[in-house]
PDB file of all heavy atoms in Angstrom:
ATOM      1  N   LEU A 124      -3.015  -3.975 -12.509  1.00 96.00           N
ATOM      2  CA  LEU A 124      -2.091  -5.127 -12.459  1.00 96.00           C
ATOM      3  C   LEU A 124      -2.886  -6.384 -12.512  1.00 96.00           C
ATOM      4  O   LEU A 124      -3.833  -6.624 -11.806  1.00 96.00           O
ATOM      5  CB  LEU A 124      -1.213  -5.127 -11.232  1.00 96.00           C
ATOM      6  CG  LEU A 124      -0.418  -3.857 -10.924  1.00 96.00           C
ATOM      7  CD1 LEU A 124      -1.160  -2.822 -10.145  1.00 96.00           C
ATOM      8  CD2 LEU A 124       0.927  -4.186 -10.242  1.00 96.00           C
ATOM      9  N   VAL A 125      -2.465  -7.287 -13.422  1.00 97.00           N
ATOM     10  CA  VAL A 125      -3.148  -8.551 -13.572  1.00 97.00           C
ATOM     11  C   VAL A 125      -2.169  -9.735 -13.510  1.00 97.00           C
ATOM     12  O   VAL A 125      -1.280  -9.774 -14.267  1.00 97.00           O
ATOM     13  CB  VAL A 125      -3.928  -8.689 -14.913  1.00 97.00           C
ATOM     14  CG1 VAL A 125      -4.573 -10.014 -15.074  1.00 97.00           C
ATOM     15  CG2 VAL A 125      -4.915  -7.498 -15.023  1.00 97.00           C
ATOM     16  N   GLU A 126      -2.326 -10.512 -12.423  1.00 97.00           N
ATOM     17  CA  GLU A 126      -1.407 -11.671 -12.188  1.00 97.00           C
ATOM     18  C   GLU A 126      -1.924 -12.865 -12.870  1.00 97.00           C
ATOM     19  O   GLU A 126      -3.152 -13.034 -13.060  1.00 97.00           O
ATOM     20  CB  GLU A 126      -1.208 -11.926 -10.661  1.00 97.00           C
ATOM     21  CG  GLU A 126      -0.741 -10.767  -9.850  1.00 97.00           C
ATOM     22  CD  GLU A 126      -1.808 -10.140  -9.057  1.00 97.00           C
ATOM     23  OE1 GLU A 126      -2.977 -10.159  -9.552  1.00 97.00           O
ATOM     24  OE2 GLU A 126      -1.564  -9.586  -7.943  1.00 97.00           O
ATOM     25  N   SER A 127      -1.003 -13.858 -13.138  1.00 97.00           N
ATOM     26  CA  SER A 127      -1.364 -15.140 -13.659  1.00 97.00           C
ATOM     27  C   SER A 127      -0.220 -16.027 -13.354  1.00 97.00           C
ATOM     28  O   SER A 127       0.888 -15.688 -12.984  1.00 97.00           O
ATOM     29  CB  SER A 127      -1.657 -15.131 -15.135  1.00 97.00           C
ATOM     30  OG  SER A 127      -0.518 -14.632 -15.893  1.00 97.00           O
ATOM     31  N   GLY A 128      -0.489 -17.353 -13.585  1.00 98.00           N
ATOM     32  CA  GLY A 128       0.585 -18.344 -13.399  1.00 98.00           C
ATOM     33  C   GLY A 128       0.560 -19.183 -12.122  1.00 98.00           C
ATOM     34  O   GLY A 128       1.392 -20.102 -11.973  1.00 98.00           O
ATOM     35  N   GLY A 129      -0.339 -18.848 -11.296  1.00 97.00           N
ATOM     36  CA  GLY A 129      -0.516 -19.678 -10.088  1.00 97.00           C
ATOM     37  C   GLY A 129      -1.048 -21.031 -10.348  1.00 97.00           C
ATOM     38  O   GLY A 129      -1.490 -21.306 -11.478  1.00 97.00           O
ATOM     39  N   GLY A 130      -1.010 -21.904  -9.329  1.00 98.00           N
ATOM     40  CA  GLY A 130      -1.627 -23.259  -9.485  1.00 98.00           C
ATOM     41  C   GLY A 130      -1.099 -24.164  -8.437  1.00 98.00           C
ATOM     42  O   GLY A 130      -0.565 -23.723  -7.389  1.00 98.00           O
ATOM     43  N   LEU A 131      -1.392 -25.463  -8.689  1.00 98.00           N
ATOM     44  CA  LEU A 131      -0.948 -26.515  -7.694  1.00 98.00           C
ATOM     45  C   LEU A 131       0.326 -27.216  -8.222  1.00 98.00           C
ATOM     46  O   LEU A 131       0.387 -27.574  -9.401  1.00 98.00           O
ATOM     47  CB  LEU A 131      -2.125 -27.518  -7.644  1.00 98.00           C
ATOM     48  CG  LEU A 131      -1.831 -28.780  -6.762  1.00 98.00           C
ATOM     49  CD1 LEU A 131      -1.554 -28.447  -5.289  1.00 98.00           C
ATOM     50  CD2 LEU A 131      -3.019 -29.742  -6.907  1.00 98.00           C
ATOM     51  N   VAL A 132       1.291 -27.295  -7.358  1.00 98.00           N
ATOM     52  CA  VAL A 132       2.588 -27.888  -7.723  1.00 98.00           C
ATOM     53  C   VAL A 132       3.074 -28.714  -6.562  1.00 98.00           C
ATOM     54  O   VAL A 132       2.803 -28.439  -5.349  1.00 98.00           O
ATOM     55  CB  VAL A 132       3.561 -26.782  -8.144  1.00 98.00           C
ATOM     56  CG1 VAL A 132       3.942 -25.928  -6.955  1.00 98.00           C
ATOM     57  CG2 VAL A 132       4.856 -27.431  -8.693  1.00 98.00           C
ATOM     58  N   GLN A 133       3.805 -29.765  -6.861  1.00 98.00           N
ATOM     59  CA  GLN A 133       4.398 -30.556  -5.786  1.00 98.00           C
ATOM     60  C   GLN A 133       5.651 -29.879  -5.208  1.00 98.00           C
ATOM     61  O   GLN A 133       6.322 -29.107  -5.916  1.00 98.00           O
ATOM     62  CB  GLN A 133       4.811 -32.012  -6.386  1.00 98.00           C
ATOM     63  CG  GLN A 133       3.620 -32.904  -6.663  1.00 98.00           C
ATOM     64  CD  GLN A 133       4.040 -34.296  -7.020  1.00 98.00           C
ATOM     65  OE1 GLN A 133       5.122 -34.510  -7.498  1.00 98.00           O
ATOM     66  NE2 GLN A 133       3.224 -35.187  -6.625  1.00 98.00           N
ATOM     67  N   ALA A 134       5.962 -30.217  -4.018  1.00 98.00           N
ATOM     68  CA  ALA A 134       7.176 -29.747  -3.340  1.00 98.00           C
ATOM     69  C   ALA A 134       8.398 -30.026  -4.212  1.00 98.00           C
ATOM     70  O   ALA A 134       8.520 -31.163  -4.816  1.00 98.00           O
ATOM     71  CB  ALA A 134       7.289 -30.301  -1.962  1.00 98.00           C
ATOM     72  N   GLY A 135       9.266 -29.025  -4.400  1.00 98.00           N
ATOM     73  CA  GLY A 135      10.473 -29.140  -5.190  1.00 98.00           C
ATOM     74  C   GLY A 135      10.203 -28.645  -6.660  1.00 98.00           C
ATOM     75  O   GLY A 135      11.209 -28.541  -7.363  1.00 98.00           O
ATOM     76  N   GLY A 136       8.944 -28.414  -6.963  1.00 98.00           N
ATOM     77  CA  GLY A 136       8.662 -27.926  -8.330  1.00 98.00           C
ATOM     78  C   GLY A 136       8.849 -26.409  -8.520  1.00 98.00           C
ATOM     79  O   GLY A 136       9.354 -25.760  -7.560  1.00 98.00           O
ATOM     80  N   SER A 137       8.511 -25.922  -9.672  1.00 98.00           N
ATOM     81  CA  SER A 137       8.669 -24.607 -10.046  1.00 98.00           C
ATOM     82  C   SER A 137       7.402 -23.979 -10.625  1.00 98.00           C
ATOM     83  O   SER A 137       6.632 -24.686 -11.262  1.00 98.00           O
ATOM     84  CB  SER A 137       9.816 -24.393 -11.030  1.00 98.00           C
ATOM     85  OG  SER A 137      11.041 -24.887 -10.530  1.00 98.00           O
ATOM     86  N   LEU A 138       7.285 -22.671 -10.471  1.00 98.00           N
ATOM     87  CA  LEU A 138       6.171 -21.929 -11.145  1.00 98.00           C
ATOM     88  C   LEU A 138       6.766 -20.575 -11.452  1.00 98.00           C
ATOM     89  O   LEU A 138       7.749 -20.041 -10.771  1.00 98.00           O
ATOM     90  CB  LEU A 138       5.013 -21.751 -10.132  1.00 98.00           C
ATOM     91  CG  LEU A 138       4.003 -22.887  -9.954  1.00 98.00           C
ATOM     92  CD1 LEU A 138       3.004 -22.481  -8.898  1.00 98.00           C
ATOM     93  CD2 LEU A 138       3.352 -23.287 -11.264  1.00 98.00           C
ATOM     94  N   ARG A 139       6.204 -19.936 -12.483  1.00 98.00           N
ATOM     95  CA  ARG A 139       6.508 -18.577 -12.814  1.00 98.00           C
ATOM     96  C   ARG A 139       5.283 -17.748 -12.810  1.00 98.00           C
ATOM     97  O   ARG A 139       4.350 -18.046 -13.654  1.00 98.00           O
ATOM     98  CB  ARG A 139       7.206 -18.466 -14.186  1.00 98.00           C
ATOM     99  CG  ARG A 139       7.753 -17.042 -14.406  1.00 98.00           C
ATOM    100  CD  ARG A 139       8.571 -16.904 -15.675  1.00 98.00           C
ATOM    101  NE  ARG A 139       7.659 -16.796 -16.893  1.00 98.00           N
ATOM    102  CZ  ARG A 139       8.022 -16.219 -18.007  1.00 98.00           C
ATOM    103  NH1 ARG A 139       9.277 -15.745 -18.160  1.00 98.00           N
ATOM    104  NH2 ARG A 139       7.187 -16.168 -19.064  1.00 98.00           N
ATOM    105  N   LEU A 140       5.242 -16.736 -11.961  1.00 98.00           N
ATOM    106  CA  LEU A 140       4.099 -15.805 -11.918  1.00 98.00           C
ATOM    107  C   LEU A 140       4.383 -14.612 -12.903  1.00 98.00           C
ATOM    108  O   LEU A 140       5.484 -14.191 -12.904  1.00 98.00           O
ATOM    109  CB  LEU A 140       3.808 -15.398 -10.505  1.00 98.00           C
ATOM    110  CG  LEU A 140       3.648 -16.439  -9.452  1.00 98.00           C
ATOM    111  CD1 LEU A 140       3.332 -15.814  -8.058  1.00 98.00           C
ATOM    112  CD2 LEU A 140       2.575 -17.441  -9.833  1.00 98.00           C
ATOM    113  N   SER A 141       3.307 -14.195 -13.497  1.00 98.00           N
ATOM    114  CA  SER A 141       3.407 -12.950 -14.345  1.00 98.00           C
ATOM    115  C   SER A 141       2.449 -11.950 -13.824  1.00 98.00           C
ATOM    116  O   SER A 141       1.411 -12.232 -13.301  1.00 98.00           O
ATOM    117  CB  SER A 141       3.043 -13.316 -15.776  1.00 98.00           C
ATOM    118  OG  SER A 141       3.856 -14.344 -16.310  1.00 98.00           O
ATOM    119  N   CYS A 142       2.895 -10.668 -14.057  1.00 98.00           N
ATOM    120  CA  CYS A 142       2.049  -9.530 -13.695  1.00 98.00           C
ATOM    121  C   CYS A 142       2.077  -8.493 -14.834  1.00 98.00           C
ATOM    122  O   CYS A 142       3.114  -7.891 -15.043  1.00 98.00           O
ATOM    123  CB  CYS A 142       2.546  -8.903 -12.428  1.00 98.00           C
ATOM    124  SG  CYS A 142       1.782  -7.423 -11.864  1.00 98.00           S
ATOM    125  N   VAL A 143       1.028  -8.451 -15.544  1.00 97.00           N
ATOM    126  CA  VAL A 143       0.953  -7.502 -16.695  1.00 97.00           C
ATOM    127  C   VAL A 143       0.439  -6.130 -16.077  1.00 97.00           C
ATOM    128  O   VAL A 143      -0.593  -6.067 -15.432  1.00 97.00           O
ATOM    129  CB  VAL A 143       0.034  -7.939 -17.792  1.00 97.00           C
ATOM    130  CG1 VAL A 143      -0.033  -6.944 -18.902  1.00 97.00           C
ATOM    131  CG2 VAL A 143       0.519  -9.295 -18.284  1.00 97.00           C
ATOM    132  N   VAL A 144       1.140  -5.096 -16.376  1.00 96.00           N
ATOM    133  CA  VAL A 144       0.852  -3.801 -15.818  1.00 96.00           C
ATOM    134  C   VAL A 144       0.410  -2.860 -16.880  1.00 96.00           C
ATOM    135  O   VAL A 144       0.975  -2.785 -18.000  1.00 96.00           O
ATOM    136  CB  VAL A 144       2.084  -3.195 -15.118  1.00 96.00           C
ATOM    137  CG1 VAL A 144       1.769  -1.842 -14.491  1.00 96.00           C
ATOM    138  CG2 VAL A 144       2.630  -4.198 -14.039  1.00 96.00           C
ATOM    139  N   SER A 145      -0.673  -2.102 -16.672  1.00 93.00           N
ATOM    140  CA  SER A 145      -1.139  -1.063 -17.535  1.00 93.00           C
ATOM    141  C   SER A 145      -1.263   0.247 -16.698  1.00 93.00           C
ATOM    142  O   SER A 145      -1.485   0.211 -15.491  1.00 93.00           O
ATOM    143  CB  SER A 145      -2.419  -1.404 -18.206  1.00 93.00           C
ATOM    144  OG  SER A 145      -3.441  -1.663 -17.284  1.00 93.00           O
ATOM    145  N   GLY A 146      -1.106   1.364 -17.346  1.00 88.00           N
ATOM    146  CA  GLY A 146      -1.234   2.673 -16.679  1.00 88.00           C
ATOM    147  C   GLY A 146      -0.022   3.150 -15.952  1.00 88.00           C
ATOM    148  O   GLY A 146       0.052   4.124 -15.250  1.00 88.00           O
ATOM    149  N   SER A 147       1.127   2.317 -16.037  1.00 87.00           N
ATOM    150  CA  SER A 147       2.382   2.652 -15.418  1.00 87.00           C
ATOM    151  C   SER A 147       3.435   1.876 -16.098  1.00 87.00           C
ATOM    152  O   SER A 147       3.257   0.833 -16.620  1.00 87.00           O
ATOM    153  CB  SER A 147       2.356   2.307 -13.864  1.00 87.00           C
ATOM    154  OG  SER A 147       3.527   2.695 -13.298  1.00 87.00           O
ATOM    155  N   ILE A 148       4.654   2.495 -16.188  1.00 87.00           N
ATOM    156  CA  ILE A 148       5.738   1.891 -16.881  1.00 87.00           C
ATOM    157  C   ILE A 148       6.565   1.118 -15.841  1.00 87.00           C
ATOM    158  O   ILE A 148       7.133   1.704 -14.868  1.00 87.00           O
ATOM    159  CB  ILE A 148       6.674   2.969 -17.547  1.00 87.00           C
ATOM    160  CG1 ILE A 148       5.796   3.858 -18.474  1.00 87.00           C
ATOM    161  CG2 ILE A 148       7.787   2.274 -18.310  1.00 87.00           C
ATOM    162  CD1 ILE A 148       5.155   3.078 -19.544  1.00 87.00           C
ATOM    163  N   VAL A 149       6.746  -0.144 -15.968  1.00 89.00           N
ATOM    164  CA  VAL A 149       7.423  -0.952 -14.959  1.00 89.00           C
ATOM    165  C   VAL A 149       8.935  -0.523 -14.868  1.00 89.00           C
ATOM    166  O   VAL A 149       9.585  -0.634 -13.746  1.00 89.00           O
ATOM    167  CB  VAL A 149       7.347  -2.501 -15.244  1.00 89.00           C
ATOM    168  CG1 VAL A 149       5.859  -2.948 -15.154  1.00 89.00           C
ATOM    169  CG2 VAL A 149       8.001  -2.869 -16.554  1.00 89.00           C
ATOM    170  N   SER A 150       9.572  -0.149 -15.965  1.00 87.00           N
ATOM    171  CA  SER A 150      10.979   0.210 -15.910  1.00 87.00           C
ATOM    172  C   SER A 150      11.223   1.421 -15.046  1.00 87.00           C
ATOM    173  O   SER A 150      12.352   1.594 -14.581  1.00 87.00           O
ATOM    174  CB  SER A 150      11.523   0.438 -17.322  1.00 87.00           C
ATOM    175  OG  SER A 150      10.852   1.531 -17.945  1.00 87.00           O
ATOM    176  N   GLY A 151      10.154   2.292 -14.869  1.00 87.00           N
ATOM    177  CA  GLY A 151      10.389   3.453 -14.046  1.00 87.00           C
ATOM    178  C   GLY A 151       9.773   3.275 -12.661  1.00 87.00           C
ATOM    179  O   GLY A 151       9.585   4.364 -11.968  1.00 87.00           O
ATOM    180  N   SER A 152       9.319   2.140 -12.298  1.00 90.00           N
ATOM    181  CA  SER A 152       8.595   1.911 -11.067  1.00 90.00           C
ATOM    182  C   SER A 152       9.220   0.907 -10.222  1.00 90.00           C
ATOM    183  O   SER A 152      10.040   0.121 -10.712  1.00 90.00           O
ATOM    184  CB  SER A 152       7.161   1.442 -11.359  1.00 90.00           C
ATOM    185  OG  SER A 152       6.464   2.326 -12.237  1.00 90.00           O
ATOM    186  N   THR A 153       8.999   1.008  -8.918  1.00 95.00           N
ATOM    187  CA  THR A 153       9.358  -0.040  -7.965  1.00 95.00           C
ATOM    188  C   THR A 153       8.255  -1.025  -7.957  1.00 95.00           C
ATOM    189  O   THR A 153       7.136  -0.725  -7.627  1.00 95.00           O
ATOM    190  CB  THR A 153       9.655   0.466  -6.617  1.00 95.00           C
ATOM    191  OG1 THR A 153      10.799   1.355  -6.627  1.00 95.00           O
ATOM    192  CG2 THR A 153       9.942  -0.656  -5.638  1.00 95.00           C
ATOM    193  N   MET A 154       8.615  -2.291  -8.329  1.00 96.00           N
ATOM    194  CA  MET A 154       7.535  -3.316  -8.409  1.00 96.00           C
ATOM    195  C   MET A 154       7.949  -4.382  -7.317  1.00 96.00           C
ATOM    196  O   MET A 154       9.086  -4.562  -6.966  1.00 96.00           O
ATOM    197  CB  MET A 154       7.513  -3.948  -9.788  1.00 96.00           C
ATOM    198  CG  MET A 154       7.272  -3.007 -10.907  1.00 96.00           C
ATOM    199  SD  MET A 154       5.576  -2.206 -10.795  1.00 96.00           S
ATOM    200  CE  MET A 154       4.487  -3.620 -10.821  1.00 96.00           C
ATOM    201  N   ALA A 155       6.876  -5.100  -6.898  1.00 97.00           N
ATOM    202  CA  ALA A 155       7.064  -6.068  -5.869  1.00 97.00           C
ATOM    203  C   ALA A 155       6.104  -7.179  -5.950  1.00 97.00           C
ATOM    204  O   ALA A 155       5.033  -7.048  -6.528  1.00 97.00           O
ATOM    205  CB  ALA A 155       6.942  -5.413  -4.480  1.00 97.00           C
ATOM    206  N   TRP A 156       6.466  -8.340  -5.342  1.00 98.00           N
ATOM    207  CA  TRP A 156       5.590  -9.458  -5.129  1.00 98.00           C
ATOM    208  C   TRP A 156       5.428  -9.602  -3.624  1.00 98.00           C
ATOM    209  O   TRP A 156       6.423  -9.570  -2.894  1.00 98.00           O
ATOM    210  CB  TRP A 156       6.120 -10.714  -5.745  1.00 98.00           C
ATOM    211  CG  TRP A 156       6.026 -10.724  -7.215  1.00 98.00           C
ATOM    212  CD1 TRP A 156       6.980 -10.407  -8.123  1.00 98.00           C
ATOM    213  CD2 TRP A 156       4.901 -11.170  -7.970  1.00 98.00           C
ATOM    214  NE1 TRP A 156       6.498 -10.554  -9.369  1.00 98.00           N
ATOM    215  CE2 TRP A 156       5.159 -11.109  -9.364  1.00 98.00           C
ATOM    216  CE3 TRP A 156       3.582 -11.675  -7.695  1.00 98.00           C
ATOM    217  CZ2 TRP A 156       4.328 -11.354 -10.360  1.00 98.00           C
ATOM    218  CZ3 TRP A 156       2.730 -12.011  -8.718  1.00 98.00           C
ATOM    219  CH2 TRP A 156       3.132 -11.893 -10.007  1.00 98.00           C
ATOM    220  N   TYR A 157       4.173  -9.770  -3.192  1.00 98.00           N
ATOM    221  CA  TYR A 157       3.802 -10.054  -1.796  1.00 98.00           C
ATOM    222  C   TYR A 157       3.035 -11.384  -1.785  1.00 98.00           C
ATOM    223  O   TYR A 157       2.589 -11.852  -2.832  1.00 98.00           O
ATOM    224  CB  TYR A 157       2.907  -8.963  -1.195  1.00 98.00           C
ATOM    225  CG  TYR A 157       3.593  -7.708  -0.924  1.00 98.00           C
ATOM    226  CD1 TYR A 157       3.917  -6.767  -1.915  1.00 98.00           C
ATOM    227  CD2 TYR A 157       3.832  -7.248   0.472  1.00 98.00           C
ATOM    228  CE1 TYR A 157       4.512  -5.534  -1.648  1.00 98.00           C
ATOM    229  CE2 TYR A 157       4.417  -6.055   0.704  1.00 98.00           C
ATOM    230  CZ  TYR A 157       4.715  -5.224  -0.332  1.00 98.00           C
ATOM    231  OH  TYR A 157       5.348  -3.991   0.003  1.00 98.00           O
ATOM    232  N   ARG A 158       2.906 -12.015  -0.621  1.00 98.00           N
ATOM    233  CA  ARG A 158       2.053 -13.195  -0.505  1.00 98.00           C
ATOM    234  C   ARG A 158       1.355 -13.151   0.903  1.00 98.00           C
ATOM    235  O   ARG A 158       1.850 -12.483   1.812  1.00 98.00           O
ATOM    236  CB  ARG A 158       2.910 -14.450  -0.610  1.00 98.00           C
ATOM    237  CG  ARG A 158       3.917 -14.697   0.476  1.00 98.00           C
ATOM    238  CD  ARG A 158       4.690 -15.915   0.194  1.00 98.00           C
ATOM    239  NE  ARG A 158       5.704 -16.197   1.337  1.00 98.00           N
ATOM    240  CZ  ARG A 158       6.619 -17.173   1.183  1.00 98.00           C
ATOM    241  NH1 ARG A 158       6.761 -17.901   0.081  1.00 98.00           N
ATOM    242  NH2 ARG A 158       7.484 -17.326   2.137  1.00 98.00           N
ATOM    243  N   GLN A 159       0.264 -13.811   0.871  1.00 98.00           N
ATOM    244  CA  GLN A 159      -0.522 -13.906   2.130  1.00 98.00           C
ATOM    245  C   GLN A 159      -1.014 -15.296   2.296  1.00 98.00           C
ATOM    246  O   GLN A 159      -1.798 -15.721   1.442  1.00 98.00           O
ATOM    247  CB  GLN A 159      -1.646 -12.851   2.104  1.00 98.00           C
ATOM    248  CG  GLN A 159      -2.370 -12.832   3.500  1.00 98.00           C
ATOM    249  CD  GLN A 159      -3.294 -11.568   3.578  1.00 98.00           C
ATOM    250  OE1 GLN A 159      -3.692 -11.025   2.558  1.00 98.00           O
ATOM    251  NE2 GLN A 159      -3.668 -11.237   4.799  1.00 98.00           N
ATOM    252  N   ALA A 160      -0.585 -15.951   3.358  1.00 97.00           N
ATOM    253  CA  ALA A 160      -1.061 -17.273   3.626  1.00 97.00           C
ATOM    254  C   ALA A 160      -2.262 -17.194   4.596  1.00 97.00           C
ATOM    255  O   ALA A 160      -2.416 -16.218   5.286  1.00 97.00           O
ATOM    256  CB  ALA A 160       0.075 -18.075   4.316  1.00 97.00           C
ATOM    257  N   PRO A 161      -3.085 -18.195   4.594  1.00 92.00           N
ATOM    258  CA  PRO A 161      -4.248 -18.142   5.468  1.00 92.00           C
ATOM    259  C   PRO A 161      -3.901 -17.925   6.974  1.00 92.00           C
ATOM    260  O   PRO A 161      -3.006 -18.515   7.539  1.00 92.00           O
ATOM    261  CB  PRO A 161      -4.844 -19.601   5.317  1.00 92.00           C
ATOM    262  CG  PRO A 161      -4.402 -20.005   4.027  1.00 92.00           C
ATOM    263  CD  PRO A 161      -3.091 -19.473   3.857  1.00 92.00           C
ATOM    264  N   GLY A 162      -4.567 -16.877   7.534  1.00 95.00           N
ATOM    265  CA  GLY A 162      -4.303 -16.578   8.919  1.00 95.00           C
ATOM    266  C   GLY A 162      -3.093 -15.770   9.195  1.00 95.00           C
ATOM    267  O   GLY A 162      -2.753 -15.515  10.377  1.00 95.00           O
ATOM    268  N   LYS A 163      -2.377 -15.325   8.045  1.00 96.00           N
ATOM    269  CA  LYS A 163      -1.156 -14.639   8.296  1.00 96.00           C
ATOM    270  C   LYS A 163      -1.253 -13.258   7.689  1.00 96.00           C
ATOM    271  O   LYS A 163      -2.056 -13.080   6.801  1.00 96.00           O
ATOM    272  CB  LYS A 163       0.034 -15.428   7.749  1.00 96.00           C
ATOM    273  CG  LYS A 163       0.339 -16.758   8.533  1.00 96.00           C
ATOM    274  CD  LYS A 163       1.607 -17.375   7.997  1.00 96.00           C
ATOM    275  CE  LYS A 163       1.942 -18.625   8.816  1.00 96.00           C
ATOM    276  NZ  LYS A 163       3.267 -19.271   8.362  1.00 96.00           N
ATOM    277  N   GLN A 164      -0.272 -12.369   8.049  1.00 97.00           N
ATOM    278  CA  GLN A 164      -0.218 -11.092   7.397  1.00 97.00           C
ATOM    279  C   GLN A 164       0.409 -11.129   6.062  1.00 97.00           C
ATOM    280  O   GLN A 164       1.168 -12.083   5.783  1.00 97.00           O
ATOM    281  CB  GLN A 164       0.528 -10.101   8.305  1.00 97.00           C
ATOM    282  CG  GLN A 164      -0.196  -9.710   9.538  1.00 97.00           C
ATOM    283  CD  GLN A 164       0.473  -8.577  10.279  1.00 97.00           C
ATOM    284  OE1 GLN A 164       1.731  -8.436  10.205  1.00 97.00           O
ATOM    285  NE2 GLN A 164      -0.233  -7.757  10.955  1.00 97.00           N
ATOM    286  N   ARG A 165       0.085 -10.214   5.138  1.00 97.00           N
ATOM    287  CA  ARG A 165       0.729 -10.134   3.888  1.00 97.00           C
ATOM    288  C   ARG A 165       2.106  -9.766   4.087  1.00 97.00           C
ATOM    289  O   ARG A 165       2.554  -8.919   4.917  1.00 97.00           O
ATOM    290  CB  ARG A 165       0.063  -9.066   3.034  1.00 97.00           C
ATOM    291  CG  ARG A 165       0.419  -9.113   1.589  1.00 97.00           C
ATOM    292  CD  ARG A 165      -0.447  -8.176   0.795  1.00 97.00           C
ATOM    293  NE  ARG A 165      -1.841  -8.626   0.747  1.00 97.00           N
ATOM    294  CZ  ARG A 165      -2.837  -8.028  -0.027  1.00 97.00           C
ATOM    295  NH1 ARG A 165      -2.461  -7.059  -0.869  1.00 97.00           N
ATOM    296  NH2 ARG A 165      -4.055  -8.483   0.030  1.00 97.00           N
ATOM    297  N   GLU A 166       3.067 -10.480   3.359  1.00 97.00           N
ATOM    298  CA  GLU A 166       4.437 -10.220   3.569  1.00 97.00           C
ATOM    299  C   GLU A 166       5.136 -10.010   2.200  1.00 97.00           C
ATOM    300  O   GLU A 166       4.717 -10.535   1.215  1.00 97.00           O
ATOM    301  CB  GLU A 166       5.130 -11.400   4.227  1.00 97.00           C
ATOM    302  CG  GLU A 166       5.114 -12.721   3.449  1.00 97.00           C
ATOM    303  CD  GLU A 166       5.896 -13.808   4.066  1.00 97.00           C
ATOM    304  OE1 GLU A 166       6.657 -13.580   5.090  1.00 97.00           O
ATOM    305  OE2 GLU A 166       5.885 -15.014   3.673  1.00 97.00           O
TER     306      GLU A 166
END
């Protein structure tokens, strides 16, 4: 899985993250996005 699309944005703005998958078919899989902030658990 290869993510892209992150960056620096002002509050109120928008971003679109992408995740290109190889070795598995996304339509037949459960896919998810998680995040981890400094000092916090991944959620």
